[in-house]
Amino acid sequence: MGALDAIVALLLVSNVFAGAVAAAGPKVIVVGAGMSGISAAKTLSDAGIKDILILEATDRIGGRMRKVNFAGMNVEMGANWVEGVNGPELNPIWKMANKLHLRNFFSDYSNLSSNTYNEIGGLYQSSEVDEVIEEAAKVNSFGEKLSASLPPSGREDVSILTSQRLKNHVPSTALEMVVDYYTYDYEFAEPPRVTSLQNTVPLPTFANFGEDVYFVADQRGYESLVYDLAGQFLRTAKNGTIVDPRLLLGKVVRRIRHFQSGVVVVTEDGSVYKADYVIVSVSIGVLQTKLIKFEPDLPQWKILAMYQFDMAVYTKIFLKFPYKFWPEGNGTEFFLYANERRGYYPVWQQFEKQYPGANVLLVTVTDEESRRIEQQPDSQTKAEAMEVLRNMFGKHIPEATDILVPRWWSDRFFKGAFSNWPLGVNRYEYDQIRAPIGKVYFTGEHTSEHYNGYVHGAYLAGIDSANMMIKCIKHKICKYEIKPKDS
C-alpha cells in the first residue's frame, strides 16, 4: 500500500483538489459488478444518471453467481436456486429466469426420510427418521407461536427463540444432528447457536414468494441474469461481451476517500477515479477486512454494525464418477448422511434430470467444515468424501475421477457466501449497516431488510440503494433515518 499512499498524498496536497472532486469524472462510481452492483447501476441509468463507472475486482461480472466448467459441463459454484416461487407475489428473479428460459428443476425434498443413511452403512428406517423430523417440526412450531406473541421489536431480536429451543431439545444422536443440520444449516450455512433462527419465524422470502425452490441447471449459467441486466444499459457486443467503457474489470478498489463535495477511489494498480458519489456493493465479509480503506474512517457505529453481521460460508462440492452407483428415480434426488460429527458431508444431491448422463454428485458443507476443507488439498477432500460414500453405498463403488471445491471464504473478493443476522441483531443494526455515510452509499444482499442472503435480496437491495441516492441527487433528500434501538 506504500505506492497508493504516495499517490493519494500527492493528489490531496491541497484543499483545492478536495473542492474540485465533484467537477470531474463520472457522476457515480459503483464498486462491484455482482447482482446488487449491476442492479444499482441500472436503476441509476434508468433515472437518467448515466455518468456511471463500475469498478469490478475480478475478470467477470456476476459476483457470487458464477458458473465454472467441471468435467465437460458448466455448474454453479455459488448461487444455484431460485428460492421463493409459486407464492402470492412474483419473485423478480423467477421472472428474469423465465424471460431467459433458463433450464430449471423443482427441488423436491419431501422424501428425505426414505433417503437418510447411517454412519456405518445402510438406510435408517423411514419411520425412525420421520419421528426425528416431527420432533424438529414441533420446535419450529413453538418458535413461530412464540414469535407471533411478541411485539415487532421482539420478533426482530429472536435470541429468545434460540434459548427456548435449546431448553426444549438439543440434538445429540447422529440422526438428530443431520436432521437439525438440514433444518437450519442447509438454508443459513450456520448452526442455530450462531444465527438468529429466522426460520423459526416464516421467512419473508417464502411467505411472500412461495415455498417452492428451483435448481438452475443451464449451460449459460445463472449469472446470465446479471449479464442480461447489464446489457439493458451497458453497450454489449453481439457475442454478449460487454464493451461499454463504463465497466472496468480487474480493478481492485483499495481506498475510498470521501469529502462533503465528492469521492476519490484508488485501485490496486494505482489508478485514481473521482466522482460525486460512490456505491459500495462488496460483501459484508469484504467490508470486515482491510481490503478497502475508507478515509476518513467510517464512524464507529458503522464499523460496529458491520462486524455484528456474519458472513456465512456455504460450499457445494461436485464429484464426477465413471458410472452411477446411487439410487435414481422419483424421490431420490436428495439424501442425507448422519455422522456423529455434525455437518460432516451431510447433504447430497444427484442430477438424474439436471445433467443426464453426467454421473455427478453434489455434497454441501458449511461453516466450520467449509473453512477446514478450504485449507486442505482437494485430494484430501476427495478421500474424505469417498470414505463417506463407501459407508453409504459399499466398499466397491468407483473412485471419483474429478472434484470441484469452491473456496469462497479464502477469496479476498468475497470472504464467504452470504450474510446472516446473528443473535441479538435487529432492525437498529440493519439500519446502521445500510445507512450512507455522506457521499458513500452501501448495497448488497446484506442491506436487504427482508431478503438478505438471497439473489432476489441482492437485486432488490441494489434498486433500493440506488433510489436512496436518486432522492438525494434529484430531490436533495439525503437524510437517512435510523430508528431508535428500542422502537
Side-chain angles (χ1 to χ4, degrees):
M1 291 296 292
L4 294 184
D5 289 333
I7 292 169
V8 174
L10 181 64
L11 290 172
L12 301 180
V13 290
S14 71
N15 291 330
V16 175
F17 173 77
V21 167
K27 188 81 170 180
V28 179
I29 291 174
V30 178
V31 179
M35 176 59 88
S36 59
I38 294 298
S39 174
K42 180 182 181 298
T43 303
L44 292 170
S45 181
D46 290 347
I49 302 171
K50 300 184 182 295
D51 292 333
I52 300 167
L53 180 64
I54 305 169
L55 302 177
E56 166 57 38
T58 71
D59 60 358
R60 45 175 288 280
I61 72 171
R64 285 163 273 168
M65 302 173 74
R66 181 185 177 186
K67 73 174 185 290
V68 64
N69 189 272
F70 170 68
M73 65 181 187
N74 289 330
V75 297
E76 303 294 337
M77 290 185 67
N80 218 142
W81 278 268
V82 182
E83 302 199 57
V85 179
N86 298 325
E89 300 176 33
L90 178 62
N91 187 326
I93 300 302
W94 185 238
K95 181 179 179 180
M96 295 163 69
N98 285 330
K99 172 194 168 187
L100 295 183
H101 304 289
L102 290 187
R103 290 180 73 248
N104 60 81
F105 300 83
F106 173 69
S107 291
D108 184 2
Y109 299 94
S110 61
N111 201 38
L112 278 177
S113 62
S114 298
N115 296 287
T116 301
Y117 293 79
N118 62 51
E119 187 170 0
I120 59 174
L123 289 164
Y124 284 96
Q125 291 290 328
S126 60
S127 58
E128 185 180 359
V129 182
D130 282 333
E131 186 176 332
V132 174
I133 292 174
E134 287 173 11
E135 180 63 30
K138 288 177 184 178
V139 176
N140 277 348
S141 176
F142 170 81
E144 290 180 15
K145 289 177 181 177
L146 178 61
S147 173
S149 69
L150 296 175
S153 60
R155 290 179 207 164
E156 291 168 348
D157 181 2
V158 294
S159 58
I160 186 174
L161 299 181
T162 303
S163 62
Q164 290 292 345
R165 172 191 179 276
L166 294 177
K167 288 178 184 178
N168 278 269
H169 181 66
V170 178
S172 56
T173 69
L175 178 56
E176 288 173 343
M177 285 191 289
V178 78
V179 169
D180 190 68
Y181 181 96
Y182 167 75
T183 304
Y184 296 101
D185 305 46
Y186 188 55
E187 182 71 26
F188 293 98
E190 292 182 312
R193 62 176 171 76
V194 176
T195 67
S196 63
L197 289 191
Q198 295 180 63
N199 54 340
T200 61
V201 185
L203 285 174
T205 285
F206 303 112
N208 297 340
F209 298 135
E211 296 184 357
D212 293 344
V213 300
Y214 284 78
F215 185 93
V216 175
D218 195 293
Q219 290 304 290
R220 293 170 291 174
Y222 201 178
E223 66 190 34
S224 59
L225 298 189
V226 185
Y227 279 88
D228 181 68
L229 200 63
Q232 294 175 38
F233 72 100
L234 295 176
R235 188 151 49 90
T236 305
K238 289 183 179 180
N239 64 359
T241 303
I242 298 172
V243 295
D244 199 302
R246 293 177 294 172
L247 171 67
L248 299 181
L249 301 177
K251 290 292 184 177
V252 182
V253 172
R254 297 305 305 268
R255 187 163 299 194
I256 297 176
R257 180 84 175 170
H258 51 109
F259 314 92
Q260 287 186 345
S261 55
V263 297
V264 174
V265 176
V266 183
T267 56
E268 199 162 63
D269 61 5
S271 300
V272 179
Y273 304 93
K274 297 170 264 183
D276 295 341
Y277 298 85
V278 62
I279 295 184
V280 181
S281 75
V282 300
S283 73
I284 191 68
V286 170
L287 289 174
Q288 292 170 350
T289 71
K290 296 180 180 180
L291 182 68
I292 300 176
K293 180 175 177 56
F294 293 88
E295 296 180 343
D297 290 338
L298 297 175
Q300 193 69 14
W301 59 262
K302 184 77 168 181
I303 296 172
L304 289 174
M306 290 192 308
Y307 277 94
Q308 286 194 57
F309 279 67
D310 282 342
M311 189 66 178
V313 192
Y314 191 101
T315 307
K316 300 182 307 167
I317 301 170
F318 292 87
L319 294 136
K320 167 79 172 178
F321 295 90
Y323 59 85
K324 299 171 188 173
F325 53 85
W326 50 86
E328 290 187 290
N330 292 335
T332 63
E333 182 179 349
F334 297 93
F335 42 101
L336 303 180
Y337 173 68
N339 189 282
E340 62 181 9
R341 182 165 145 189
R342 190 181 187 279
Y344 190 75
Y345 300 96
V347 184
W348 294 79
Q349 182 178 1
Q350 56 99 346
F351 299 113
E352 176 185 359
K353 296 179 182 178
Q354 294 91 333
Y355 306 115
N359 303 333
V360 168
L361 290 177
L362 164 65
V363 60
T364 299
V365 297
T366 60
D367 195 42
E368 294 177 0
E369 281 298 306
S370 288
R371 293 177 176 87
R372 181 187 69 82
I373 286 171
E374 284 199 23
Q375 297 177 79
Q376 69 184 18
D378 288 355
S379 58
Q380 177 64 29
T381 303
K382 183 159 82 82
E384 292 174 355
M386 287 305 306
E387 182 180 13
V388 167
L389 288 170
R390 290 188 175 111
N391 287 340
M392 296 166 72
F393 298 109
K395 302 298 182 184
H396 302 295
I397 63 172
E399 184 74 16
T401 56
D402 296 279
I403 187 170
L404 171 66
V405 183
R407 286 177 166 79
W408 292 106
W409 176 62
S410 305
D411 193 320
R412 66 176 180 147
F413 301 141
F414 300 100
K415 299 305 295 180
F418 50 78
S419 67
N420 270 334
W421 287 32
L423 285 174
V425 174
N426 60 20
R427 174 60 188 264
Y428 176 74
E429 284 84 4
Y430 158 76
D431 282 340
Q432 289 182 314
I433 208 166
R434 180 173 176 258
I437 304 298
K439 298 300 182 77
V440 182
Y441 284 68
F442 298 86
T443 194
E445 49 84 9
H446 57 279
T447 72
S448 175
E449 178 182 2
H450 299 298
Y451 309 119
N452 69 292
Y454 294 98
V455 174
H456 49 274
Y459 171 73
L460 293 171
I463 295 173
D464 184 55
S465 299
N467 282 331
M468 288 169 55
M469 181 180 287
I470 291 165
K471 283 174 65 177
C472 183
I473 293 173
K474 292 194 170 185
H475 307 292
K476 308 305 178 186
I477 303 173
C478 302
K479 186 177 180 180
Y480 179 81
E481 180 182 355
I482 298 178
K483 294 182 180 181
K485 190 164 188 174
D486 58 355
S487 66

